[in-house]
């Protein structure tokens, strides 16, 4: 790997900028996203380990969801409509909204993580809850959808 990095850097521009830099995983500063303040804050660098505790995985998914949720809300299809704007706007809902309503007649869009809670049954999860998905009449867009990936699901909810 070192030889490949050296070869890429020797062929890079003459302005002193390197084409490839290898950084040790333990020397990269860690940041945590605060949902309320919508900012990144540095995480105190304590003892870094190669394998974290079990709760670190949940924190990782929660922070990843918060980031993708903020990016989605900033997209032009989800921003509140302004005057004279002909574009149709969508409202992003969470799973808690689906579970608190009995039979929503309109289509809803939910950002969530695909999970297989029970064998053969897929669920859509977010920090507010989980709901089972019926994929029998589902239309997929292009892409690869695997477990634990975040997706925008659009459809009807009937409990």
């Amino acid at each position: 790997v070192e030889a490949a990095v050296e070869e890429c850097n020797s062929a890079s521009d003459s302005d002193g900028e390197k084409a490839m830099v290898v950084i040790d995983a333990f020397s990269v500063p860690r940041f945590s996203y605060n949902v309320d303040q919508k900012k990144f804050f540095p995480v105190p660098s304590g003892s870094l380990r190669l394998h974290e505790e079990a709760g670190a995985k949940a924190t990782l998914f929660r922070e990843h969801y918060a980031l993708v949720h903020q990016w989605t809300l900033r997209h032009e299809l989800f921003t509140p409509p302004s005057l004279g704007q002909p574009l149709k706007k969508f409202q992003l809902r969470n799973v808690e909204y689906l579970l608190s309503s009995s039979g929503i007649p309109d289509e809803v869009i939910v950002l969530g993580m695909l999970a297989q809670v029970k064998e053969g049954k897929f669920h859509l999860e977010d920090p507010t809850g989980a709901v089972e998905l019926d994929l029998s009449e589902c239309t997929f867009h292009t892409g690869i959808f695997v477990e634990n990936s975040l997706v925008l699901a659009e459809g009807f909810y009937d409990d």
Side-chain angles (χ1 to χ4, degrees):
V1 174
E2 289 181 29
V5 171
E6 290 298 323
E7 186 178 332
C8 287
N9 286 336
S10 66
S12 65
D13 295 333
S14 61
D15 60 358
E17 190 174 310
K18 294 183 178 182
M20 185 180 291
V21 178
V22 178
I23 301 172
D24 178 24
F26 295 109
S27 63
V28 176
R30 294 175 55 188
F31 290 92
S32 178
Y33 184 73
N34 186 318
V35 179
D36 298 328
Q37 296 181 1
K38 298 180 183 171
K39 286 182 170 180
F40 286 98
F41 290 101
V43 175
S45 58
S47 62
L48 298 175
R49 297 180 304 203
L50 186 58
H51 300 288
E52 284 288 336
E53 298 173 9
K57 185 175 181 181
T59 303
L60 171 78
F61 283 123
R62 193 170 32 255
E63 288 188 1
H64 184 234
Y65 176 85
L67 284 175
V68 174
H69 187 257
Q70 287 298 318
W71 290 334
T72 306
L73 288 177
R74 289 188 190 114
H75 191 273
E76 64 183 24
L77 291 175
F78 294 99
T79 55
S82 59
L83 293 175
Q85 202 172 30
L87 244 137
K88 181 182 177 187
K89 299 293 183 169
F90 298 100
Q91 190 168 10
L92 194 61
R93 301 288 188 177
N94 55 20
V95 172
E96 184 180 42
Y97 173 79
L98 297 177
L99 296 174
S100 66
S101 306
S102 60
I104 301 168
D106 298 329
E107 283 193 358
V108 292
I109 299 177
V110 179
L111 174 69
M113 181 178 73
L114 283 178
Q116 205 173 140
V117 178
K118 299 174 188 167
E119 186 67 31
K121 301 223 182 226
F122 284 95
H123 290 73
L124 189 69
E125 294 183 349
D126 73 0
T128 64
V131 65
E132 187 176 332
L133 296 175
D134 177 14
L135 301 175
S136 61
E137 298 179 31
C138 184
T139 304
F140 294 95
H141 291 277
T142 55
I144 298 174
F145 305 102
V146 297
E147 283 186 66
N148 299 328
S149 62
L150 293 176
V151 296
L152 278 174
E154 179 181 7
F156 300 97
Y157 179 71
D158 185 24
D159 52 352

